[in-house]
Amino acid sequence: MITALEVFTTVVVGVMVGVEFSVAFVINRILDALPGDSGQLGRAHGGRMLGAVMPFWYIGSLVLSAVWAVTEWHHSGAGLVVTAAALLVVSVVMSILLLVPINNRGKAWTPENRPADWKEQLHRWDRYHYVRVAVIVAAFALLAAALT
């Protein structure tokens, strides 16, 4: 049962990393290259869609990692899992304090109502997101290393 928890947790975090990596380095670049207002509208839609799912994914990943750490506390690799869980806490805090406020504004923007500094706000979100991706990649790597 413990092995199933370890593998499931690693897969859940790994898929989350893949989605967030794709948003950072593929999807947003594609959207930014679209003509006219299409990119901004696409980002707003993505903010609504992923904004509805990602809180559960981030919190779920953190809970799974915490359960893994508790159940395997006295075994080898527990330190890696605890560190991964701490990094996931950092990612959740970053999300709540830095990324979600920008996302909540941006998901309601249209070409008619967006603020004058909308591009700067999206670029700020991107910079924070790059850091968050690095944090969750590190957490994933630690969970993967703990499997061995």
Side-chain angles (χ1 to χ4, degrees):
M1 186 66 162
I2 297 301
T3 301
L5 171 66
E6 295 169 349
V7 170
F8 182 71
T9 301
T10 305
V11 169
V12 167
V13 173
V15 173
M16 181 178 73
V17 165
V19 168
E20 294 291 38
F21 187 91
S22 176
V23 166
F25 298 104
V26 178
I27 303 300
N28 283 348
R29 291 182 182 197
I30 290 170
L31 292 173
D32 290 345
L34 292 174
D37 296 320
S38 299
Q40 184 263 308
L41 293 170
R43 277 183 175 243
H45 181 67
R48 287 187 299 275
M49 194 172 99
L50 289 173
V53 147
M54 296 316 279
F56 300 103
W57 210 338
Y58 273 84
I59 298 297
S61 295
L62 173 57
V63 168
L64 286 168
S65 298
V67 170
W68 177 358
V70 168
T71 59
E72 294 291 300
W73 186 253
H74 296 294
H75 294 89
S76 65
L80 296 172
V81 178
V82 169
T83 306
L87 288 172
L88 291 172
V89 168
V90 169
S91 75
V92 168
V93 171
M94 283 183 66
S95 297
I96 292 168
L97 296 179
L98 303 173
L99 289 117
V100 168
I102 298 169
N103 189 63
N104 284 344
R105 289 189 302 271
K107 68 185 183 182
W109 291 340
T110 65
E112 293 78 33
N113 72 0
R114 63 188 180 209
D117 69 339
W118 68 276
K119 285 185 182 180
E120 291 82 12
Q121 290 189 53
L122 291 182
H123 291 304
R124 187 176 329 115
W125 187 93
D126 288 342
R127 287 190 304 275
Y128 293 148
H129 185 64
Y130 294 144
V131 174
R132 181 174 62 177
V133 168
V135 168
I136 64 174
V137 165
F140 173 66
L142 290 168
L143 292 174
L147 286 173
T148 60

